[in-house]
Amino acid sequence: MKAWDDFALRMKQLGDLGHMGSLMGWDQQVMMPPKGVEARASAMGTLAAIRHERVVDPVLGDLIETLTEAELDDERKMMVKRVKRNRDISVKLPARLVEELAETTGKAHPVWQKARDTDDFSIFEPHLDNIFKLLAERAEHLGYENEVYDAHLDLFEMGATTADVEPVFKRVADEIHPLLDKVFKTDTADWNLPETPNHLDDLLTYSRDLLARFGYDLDAGRLDLAAHPFCSGLDSGDVRVTTRLNAKNPKECILATVHEMGHGFYEQGIPDKWKGTSIGKYVSLGVHESQSRLWENHVARSRSFWEGEAPRASKAIAPWAGLGADDYYRAANRVDPESYIRVEADELTYPLHVILRFELEIAISRGELKAGDLPSAWNEAMQKHLGITPPGDGKGVLQDVHWAAGLFGYFPTYLLGSIYSAALFAKATQDLGGETAVDASLAAGRFEGLLGWLRDKVHSQGALHDPSDLMAAATGLAAGSQIDTAPYIDYLKKKFGDLYGI
Amino acid sequence: MKAWDDFALRMKQLGDLGHMGSLMGWDQQVMMPPKGVEARASAMGTLAAIRHERVVDPVLGDLIETLTEAELDDERKMMVKRVKRNRDISVKLPARLVEELAETTGKAHPVWQKARDTDDFSIFEPHLDNIFKLLAERAEHLGYENEVYDAHLDLFEMGATTADVEPVFKRVADEIHPLLDKVFKTDTADWNLPETPNHLDDLLTYSRDLLARFGYDLDAGRLDLAAHPFCSGLDSGDVRVTTRLNAKNPKECILATVHEMGHGFYEQGIPDKWKGTSIGKYVSLGVHESQSRLWENHVARSRSFWEGEAPRASKAIAPWAGLGADDYYRAANRVDPESYIRVEADELTYPLHVILRFELEIAISRGELKAGDLPSAWNEAMQKHLGITPPGDGKGVLQDVHWAAGLFGYFPTYLLGSIYSAALFAKATQDLGGETAVDASLAAGRFEGLLGWLRDKVHSQGALHDPSDLMAAATGLAAGSQIDTAPYIDYLKKKFGDLYGI
């Protein structure tokens, strides 16, 4: 069928443009010398323009229309649907608005950095104000049914609505608050791992070995260093993980490696048969985050895993000689009473950091909060959720790059990922013979059962199903079921209850 | 002027597409994991298709026509001329031919590798035959005046003709042959540097330090390892040099680093004011090679340089402790009596390797030689030029990737580069106070005078002048003058005469 062939070629080319963008992004953060910034920005701009041109091309619109009415199998139907969604978003947004947003965020970035580093919100405020105005305009172009925030959220977690997410997050906060009150009463100052000032190379070597032992295919990927760790999937055969080294907080390197490896497993597991198609990729940021959180929290922060791993870590990193499983387990799960920074947060305070941002974003999207109100609103929310006040706006409202970059509606996907990961891990545990069997595997350093289960239920599905349907099917619920928070809350209660004796 | 603005944007976007292609190429050879091959090939194909689409776009043709007749300053005139040249080439070539060539060379590559590794020309012959047929067809589309080979040559060295190059190369061969006869009578088996099996890391560190001491800006570039060293200029602020480590032939790492650094200096020296334009880049492969050869041969293979450098090298690389300037100088200039491989050749046999290929290519382009005639023609030419016969076709006619990749007319630029480099170095020496002064600078590790001269005469000129005009102006001749071989021949005679006492 000619229409299909034309469409398939255009779809493949859009995928290839994505490949170029991913490579430029990875290179920029990992390899590019400092003076390469300007040329890279120019090339990224041209790539975005070319991509936009090709996405909104009316010929593609006609092909989509023809194919939407044609007899296609389920996979092809979904390929058309996924391209159509992206095209609809691009068509709805006026070129002028897209350019203005790119320009405004481009100018805002260095100002945000300076504001953060000098604790001076006032210089950033006018920029943030402009960004919020443009984002509000964008939401009107995208459209929504009841709640303006839905237009933002849907960009990052396809199909999610405020009405779905808000009660879920509220339930999570209500369960964590009383847990935290008790946890903060325990003195855990000595739970941290010894620092490793002269063993950073060993830490990186150990992390690379760990990746390989988890079964990560290093012929189809890499591990490098980056200031802010991330994972970039150029193709299932080329998935690049990054981590960072911090002598004062060495566990961060291990946890970041495992977190990004979880993302990487997802990308490596996308089936070859869908290469070059719109379903040959991850389905949503929330589902992506479920994969990273699962390996980070349910494996690398578990007691069982450290039973097997402790001797290896203690041998590889000289300052850790003699440490046992409990030492690593406690260090990995120490709750910091002064948890100001989201990206450094432990597993128990992390959700509250996300919920705080989610609540502020809803208020901003409704026009109830302006940019200038944010520093005080932020600090009030920190008191409410964590009982602390940041020492300055740099460690408060200015800590994240997201708003400066125009990423609004993105934060909730982090917590959705944690909730999903607990539901997936609970079902996997059941399917793999129960808790005792899974614990024994983790302690024995055998991960292929768990990885195989995730390959089967999640990775191999690509973007063939909508996120909520994928999650429902994987966890054994009916399609379209609500997000199930019970496994997540049970998990947190049990783990931190045991650890802190509460 | 609207036409100019439209043209300038399209020119900038073509430059940005070049940036993406360079990055993908660099990454493929330096960073990409093995399983990334397929996706990268697809992305490269899409990039080529998009580039072609934009180059042949009739709107660009109309803009070029309008601007060719408009009042423009010299720089803008040349920007239009350079884009026109590239567009004319693309327009002349039927899409079918370009695709067929890409497909044929794509399939030929693994066969060539196997043929080379197993000394079996017969499996490669049908592929090479197809490639030569397509290349002949391409030449007819491109057009030429007297000699079909000119159509090939002009693609790589704009404006060069067989009639110009043939007598020059003949003269070089005639001068080198008698020199070689004498050189081969000297026993130089003990001129090699000690091997460095356990010091490869030290060699790389030393090479990186050397780059920095030469004045290479590592904030605007990188040094990495690659199987076949190359330099990739993504932008004057991002110029990536590669080298390779060979414990059995450690000097190769140093010479490759300096060679690629010479290319890199050229790219780093392109003026910022021409960023995003068609003159903000190197002008030809021959001129590019003149820069690499100048630093490799006239500096890193000079006696003066090693006077200053010997103590540093002997300190950095343990197996070289105690070696003096003469040891390094001799090692760098040892002529190998069994010089089968072009890329490993010394300075005296190298030109003959190029001339041999040039002569064969002319015969092939004239239809006097077919693919099947090449193994015997190659071996005859090796006897004629070097007095040796390769032990097999893998170290003979199959050694280079060029023909398998459809690069035909490319080889001569290597020798043009050597000839240009000698002319440039002679003029620079004169302008910088004469031989004694320049030797003293090199011995003192002070390179800014020489680099400044090259910046001024070559790098800062970008592609503003045609290659022959650029070379004439830089060496003080009238525009359009013939290539001057005297400095090159004088240099070889003096250097190898002194070294070998002839």
Side-chain angles (χ1 to χ4, degrees):
Chain A
M1 186 168 46
K2 194 178 167 307
W4 176 262
D5 292 343
D6 284 0
F7 171 80
L9 177 63
R10 285 163 184 265
M11 176 169 62
K12 183 187 95 70
Q13 291 185 329
L14 288 173
D16 286 333
L17 292 174
H19 177 105
M20 298 175 212
S22 298
L23 176 62
M24 285 198 280
W26 174 83
D27 182 81
Q28 188 164 22
Q29 293 187 63
V30 180
M31 295 292 162
M32 194 179 78
K35 292 183 185 170
V37 170
E38 195 188 328
R40 181 58 49 85
S42 174
M44 298 263 230
T46 291
L47 184 71
I50 290 174
R51 191 187 162 280
H52 184 77
E53 203 177 290
R54 296 179 87 90
V55 167
V56 303
D57 185 344
V59 179
L60 179 60
D62 292 345
L63 287 169
I64 289 172
E65 211 167 296
T66 304
L67 291 169
T68 304
E69 280 153 30
E71 288 272 334
L72 297 175
D73 62 31
D74 285 353
E75 294 187 5
R76 289 189 169 189
K77 252 187 213 150
M78 195 50 87
M79 290 176 195
V80 175
K81 196 179 151 190
R82 296 286 179 241
V83 175
K84 182 176 184 329
R85 171 184 149 92
N86 284 331
R87 184 170 189 277
D88 287 348
I89 292 171
S90 293
V91 168
K92 281 178 190 171
L93 301 179
R96 194 255 326 139
L97 177 63
V98 174
E99 280 162 31
E100 216 175 320
L101 198 51
E103 203 181 310
T104 308
T105 53
K107 284 186 190 152
H109 189 86
V111 182
W112 162 72
Q113 281 181 312
K114 196 179 167 197
R116 182 195 57 184
D117 296 346
T118 59
D119 273 337
D120 182 1
F121 184 81
S122 69
I123 57 170
F124 182 53
E125 185 187 323
H127 293 269
L128 191 57
D129 201 51
N130 282 337
I131 291 171
F132 285 162
K133 276 178 193 144
L134 293 168
L135 290 171
E137 204 187 318
R138 187 172 74 176
E140 297 306 320
H141 285 289
L142 292 172
Y144 50 88
E145 272 185 45
N146 304 310
E147 173 70 53
V148 57
Y149 191 64
D150 292 352
H152 300 292
L153 189 54
D154 178 75
L155 280 180
F156 303 103
E157 193 65 17
M158 182 168 56
T161 65
T162 313
D164 293 334
V165 175
E166 205 168 21
V168 168
F169 281 13
K170 188 168 182 319
R171 207 173 313 142
V172 170
D174 288 347
E175 296 282 355
I176 293 180
H177 286 148
L179 273 178
L180 266 190
D181 287 342
K182 294 176 191 161
V183 161
F184 282 158
K185 294 202 175 88
T186 311
D187 182 3
T188 59
D190 64 347
W191 285 20
N192 283 318
L193 292 177
E195 298 183 4
T196 59
N198 301 313
H199 297 81
L200 292 179
D201 285 349
D202 295 338
L203 201 54
L204 186 60
T205 303
Y206 170 71
S207 297
R208 193 167 277 123
D209 291 348
L210 191 58
L211 268 191
R213 275 189 283 111
F214 269 117
Y216 194 78
D217 184 355
L218 284 161
D219 278 344
R222 301 178 48 91
L223 175 69
D224 297 279
L225 295 175
H228 301 281
F230 66 103
C231 167
S232 180
L234 281 66
D235 174 67
S236 59
D238 190 351
V239 185
R240 306 181 182 192
V241 172
T242 60
T243 188
R244 66 173 160 193
L245 299 171
N246 178 349
K248 290 198 176 294
N249 184 12
K251 77 177 177 198
E252 191 184 58
C253 173
I254 298 171
L255 293 171
T257 301
V258 176
H259 179 98
E260 301 307 335
M261 177 194 76
H263 285 303
F265 272 145
Y266 189 6
E267 299 276 345
Q268 286 191 339
I270 301 288
D272 280 350
K273 63 180 172 182
W274 292 337
K275 254 187 216 289
T277 79
S278 57
I279 62 172
K281 57 177 298 191
Y282 72 93
V283 69
S284 79
L285 290 179
V287 174
H288 226 313
E289 193 74 6
S290 77
Q291 301 306 296
S292 55
R293 295 284 165 192
L294 190 146
W295 290 95
E296 178 191 358
N297 294 340
H298 296 269
V299 178
R301 281 187 160 117
S302 76
R303 178 74 175 69
S304 313
F305 170 73
W306 284 108
E307 264 172 47
E309 194 57 30
R312 288 196 201 92
S314 300
K315 196 179 161 197
I317 315 292
W320 298 348
L323 296 188
D326 277 328
D327 299 309
Y328 292 103
Y329 181 52
R330 274 199 298 261
N333 293 291
R334 176 177 182 263
V335 178
D336 188 347
E338 297 207 332
S339 171
Y340 301 118
I341 305 291
R342 177 183 59 83
V343 297
E344 296 169 3
D346 53 84
E347 208 177 344
L348 203 56
T349 57
Y350 191 91
L352 300 175
H353 285 284
V354 174
I355 291 168
L356 173 161
R357 287 155 177 79
F358 172 72
E359 291 171 347
L360 292 178
E361 286 190 339
I362 291 179
I364 294 160
S365 72
R366 288 178 182 163
E368 297 162 7
L369 278 180
K370 305 246 161 296
D373 305 325
L374 278 174
S376 61
W378 183 279
N379 291 350
E380 278 165 34
M382 283 294 283
Q383 270 300 334
K384 171 179 135 193
H385 284 300
L386 290 156
I388 51 176
T389 297
D393 288 337
K395 294 200 164 186
V397 66
L398 290 166
Q399 67 182 266
D400 292 305
V401 72
H402 297 62
W403 294 340
L407 295 171
F408 191 92
Y410 190 116
F411 287 121
T413 67
Y414 293 129
L415 180 50
L416 288 174
S418 297
I419 297 170
Y420 291 161
S421 74
L424 290 170
F425 192 76
K427 185 64 165 64
T429 301
Q430 192 183 317
D431 290 354
L432 294 169
E435 213 170 306
T436 317
V438 169
D439 281 348
S441 296
L442 297 188
R446 299 194 48 190
F447 310 105
E448 67 279 8
L450 180 58
L451 179 57
W453 190 92
L454 291 168
R455 286 260 184 270
D456 182 35
K457 305 289 180 181
V458 180
H459 309 172
S460 67
Q461 306 301 311
L464 184 60
H465 311 286
D466 285 353
S468 59
D469 293 341
L470 173 78
M471 283 306 304
T475 56
L477 305 172
S481 297
Q482 269 286 354
I483 308 162
D484 183 9
T485 51
Y488 182 54
I489 290 169
D490 290 350
Y491 159 76
L492 290 178
K493 277 182 161 169
K494 182 165 186 328
K495 181 180 203 174
F496 289 93
D498 287 353
L499 245 170
Y500 285 83
I502 48 180
Chain B
M1 186 167 50
K2 194 178 167 306
W4 177 261
D5 292 344
D6 285 359
F7 171 80
L9 177 62
R10 283 162 185 266
M11 175 169 61
K12 183 187 94 72
Q13 291 184 329
L14 288 173
D16 286 333
L17 293 174
H19 177 106
M20 298 175 212
S22 298
L23 176 63
M24 285 198 281
W26 173 83
D27 183 81
Q28 187 165 24
Q29 293 186 63
V30 180
M31 295 292 163
M32 194 178 79
K35 293 183 185 170
V37 171
E38 194 187 330
R40 182 58 49 83
S42 173
M44 298 265 230
T46 291
L47 184 72
I50 290 173
R51 190 188 163 278
H52 184 77
E53 201 178 290
R54 296 178 87 87
V55 167
V56 302
D57 185 345
V59 178
L60 179 61
D62 292 345
L63 286 169
I64 289 172
E65 212 166 293
T66 304
L67 291 169
T68 304
E69 279 153 31
E71 288 272 332
L72 297 175
D73 62 31
D74 286 352
E75 294 186 6
R76 289 190 170 186
K77 252 186 214 152
M78 195 51 87
M79 290 176 195
V80 175
K81 196 179 151 191
R82 295 286 179 242
V83 175
K84 181 176 184 330
R85 172 185 149 89
N86 284 331
R87 182 168 190 278
D88 288 348
I89 291 171
S90 293
V91 168
K92 281 179 190 169
L93 300 179
R96 194 258 325 140
L97 177 62
V98 174
E99 281 163 29
E100 216 175 320
L101 199 51
E103 204 181 309
T104 308
T105 53
K107 283 186 190 151
H109 189 86
V111 182
W112 162 73
Q113 280 182 312
K114 194 177 170 200
R116 182 195 56 183
D117 296 347
T118 59
D119 274 337
D120 182 0
F121 184 82
S122 70
I123 56 170
F124 181 54
E125 185 188 322
H127 293 269
L128 191 58
D129 201 50
N130 282 337
I131 291 170
F132 286 162
K133 277 181 192 141
L134 293 168
L135 290 172
E137 202 186 322
R138 188 173 73 176
E140 296 307 319
H141 285 288
L142 292 172
Y144 50 89
E145 271 185 46
N146 305 308
E147 174 69 54
V148 56
Y149 191 64
D150 292 353
H152 300 293
L153 190 53
D154 178 76
L155 281 180
F156 303 102
E157 193 65 15
M158 182 167 56
T161 66
T162 313
D164 293 335
V165 175
E166 203 168 23
V168 168
F169 281 13
K170 187 167 184 318
R171 206 173 314 143
V172 171
D174 288 346
E175 296 282 354
I176 292 180
H177 286 148
L179 273 179
L180 266 190
D181 288 341
K182 294 175 190 161
V183 162
F184 282 158
K185 295 202 174 89
T186 312
D187 181 4
T188 58
D190 63 346
W191 284 20
N192 283 318
L193 291 177
E195 298 183 5
T196 58
N198 302 313
H199 296 81
L200 292 178
D201 285 349
D202 295 339
L203 201 53
L204 186 60
T205 303
Y206 170 72
S207 296
R208 193 167 277 122
D209 290 348
L210 191 57
L211 269 191
R213 275 188 282 111
F214 269 116
Y216 193 80
D217 183 355
L218 283 162
D219 279 343
R222 301 177 48 92
L223 175 69
D224 297 280
L225 295 175
H228 302 280
F230 67 102
C231 167
S232 180
L234 281 67
D235 174 67
S236 58
D238 189 351
V239 185
R240 306 180 182 194
V241 172
T242 60
T243 188
R244 67 172 159 193
L245 298 171
N246 179 348
K248 290 198 176 294
N249 185 11
K251 76 176 178 198
E252 190 185 58
C253 173
I254 298 171
L255 293 172
T257 301
V258 176
H259 178 99
E260 302 306 336
M261 177 195 75
H263 284 303
F265 272 146
Y266 189 7
E267 300 274 346
Q268 286 191 336
I270 302 289
D272 280 351
K273 64 179 172 183
W274 293 337
K275 254 188 216 289
T277 79
S278 57
I279 62 172
K281 58 176 300 194
Y282 71 94
V283 69
S284 79
L285 290 179
V287 174
H288 226 314
E289 194 73 6
S290 77
Q291 301 306 296
S292 55
R293 294 285 164 192
L294 190 145
W295 290 95
E296 177 191 357
N297 294 341
H298 296 271
V299 178
R301 281 188 161 117
S302 75
R303 179 73 175 68
S304 313
F305 170 73
W306 284 107
E307 264 171 46
E309 194 58 30
R312 288 196 200 93
S314 300
K315 197 179 159 196
I317 315 292
W320 298 349
L323 297 189
D326 279 328
D327 299 310
Y328 291 103
Y329 181 52
R330 272 199 299 261
N333 294 291
R334 176 176 182 263
V335 178
D336 187 348
E338 297 208 331
S339 172
Y340 301 117
I341 306 290
R342 178 185 59 82
V343 297
E344 296 169 2
D346 53 85
E347 209 179 343
L348 203 55
T349 57
Y350 192 92
L352 300 175
H353 285 283
V354 175
I355 291 168
L356 173 160
R357 287 155 177 78
F358 172 73
E359 291 170 348
L360 292 178
E361 286 191 341
I362 290 178
I364 294 161
S365 72
R366 287 178 182 161
E368 297 163 8
L369 278 180
K370 305 247 160 295
D373 306 324
L374 278 174
S376 61
W378 184 279
N379 291 350
E380 277 165 37
M382 282 294 284
Q383 270 300 334
K384 170 181 137 193
H385 284 300
L386 289 156
I388 52 177
T389 297
D393 289 337
K395 295 200 164 187
V397 65
L398 290 166
Q399 68 183 265
D400 291 305
V401 72
H402 297 62
W403 294 339
L407 295 171
F408 192 90
Y410 190 115
F411 287 120
T413 67
Y414 293 129
L415 181 51
L416 288 174
S418 297
I419 297 170
Y420 291 161
S421 75
L424 290 170
F425 192 76
K427 185 63 164 66
T429 301
Q430 193 183 317
D431 290 355
L432 294 169
E435 213 171 306
T436 317
V438 168
D439 281 347
S441 296
L442 298 188
R446 299 194 46 191
F447 310 105
E448 67 280 7
L450 181 58
L451 179 57
W453 190 92
L454 292 167
R455 287 261 185 268
D456 182 35
K457 304 291 180 182
V458 181
H459 309 172
S460 68
Q461 306 301 310
L464 184 60
H465 312 285
D466 285 353
S468 60
D469 292 342
L470 173 78
M471 283 307 304
T475 56
L477 305 173
S481 297
Q482 269 286 353
I483 308 162
D484 183 9
T485 51
Y488 181 55
I489 290 168
D490 290 350
Y491 158 76
L492 290 178
K493 278 184 163 170
K494 185 168 183 328
K495 181 181 202 173
F496 290 92
D498 287 354
L499 244 171
Y500 285 81
I502 47 178

